Amino acid sequence: MVVFDTSILLLLFHPDAKPPNDPATGMAVEKAAERIKHLVDVLSNAKEKIVIPTPVLSELLVHAGEATNHYLEVLNSQAVFRIASFDQKAAIEAAIAMGEAIGRGGIRVDATDPNATRGKVKFDRQIVAIAKAEGATAVYSDDGDVVKYAQQAGLKAYRTIDLDLPPEDPQSSLDL
């Protein structure tokens, strides 16, 4: 079981959206949407579940407009996806993580941007808390804070740049 953050989910629904930048080079990730689509295919074929935390769903739907029903239909009708709520177990996980951060120096101590709002920090920690509460093994995100919090929680964290490119079509045409 894995968790997708909004940055990953958005490219799945909008392949033409601006791709994330590779943190190492600062350049746009090549074939970002194709990498994500390939990951979904691999996970689906392996009968893995992709958990969509409700905070991620909310963020996805903010600007969805008329596409809202389509997004919900896709997420609710395909067996690979499962929407997970911020429930009691997740609330406990988030509280533990927040308490540990406060003990190390404050709510923003682990944020990649020291000016991150309290709301963003809490939101990102909720996503990771849901991942832990659901028993996920990995989180996929291009948000540096979500990646960092997932790693601190003992989860694997992957960015789009870490994903495999889809295999090349063996029937490619020859340039003559």
Side-chain angles (χ1 to χ4, degrees):
M1 183 178 323
V2 303
V3 166
F4 276 14
D5 187 21
T6 313
S7 56
I8 303 295
L9 197 56
L10 186 62
L11 277 167
L12 185 62
F13 281 106
H14 295 284
D16 295 331
K18 182 181 181 236
N21 291 333
D22 178 346
T25 66
M27 303 295 293
V29 173
E30 179 184 329
K31 297 185 178 183
E34 290 90 338
R35 291 170 190 254
I36 293 166
K37 172 73 170 84
H38 177 62
L39 173 64
V40 171
D41 290 343
V42 167
L43 292 169
S44 180
N45 289 338
K47 305 287 189 234
E48 282 280 344
K49 287 286 184 198
I50 299 171
V51 173
I52 309 301
T54 50
V56 169
L57 179 62
S58 175
E59 196 171 37
L60 178 72
L61 297 179
V62 165
H63 298 291
E66 293 179 12
T68 297
N69 288 337
H70 171 69
Y71 292 174
L72 293 172
E73 183 180 311
V74 169
L75 293 174
N76 288 312
S77 67
Q78 293 188 18
V80 70
F81 295 112
R82 186 167 67 75
I83 297 171
S85 298
F86 185 70
D87 60 9
Q88 180 176 335
K89 189 174 180 182
I92 293 167
E93 291 289 349
I96 291 168
M98 292 293 280
E100 290 173 351
I102 290 168
R104 288 193 310 278
I107 196 168
R108 294 180 188 92
V109 69
D110 300 320
T112 57
D113 175 3
N115 297 318
T117 66
R118 291 175 62 89
K120 181 188 181 322
V121 171
K122 289 179 180 180
F123 194 86
D124 292 345
R125 287 198 187 276
Q126 285 180 358
I127 292 166
V128 174
I130 292 169
K132 278 200 70 168
E134 293 293 321
T137 57
V139 174
Y140 291 84
S141 177
D142 284 300
D143 181 314
D145 290 328
V146 173
V147 167
K148 187 173 183 178
Y149 301 152
Q151 291 168 337
Q152 287 175 334
L155 302 170
K156 294 177 186 169
Y158 300 99
R159 296 174 180 268
T160 303
I161 191 65
D162 301 323
L163 305 180
D164 291 333
L165 287 164
E168 294 291 325
D169 183 3
Q171 296 294 322
S172 61
S173 62
L174 296 174
D175 293 328
L176 299 176

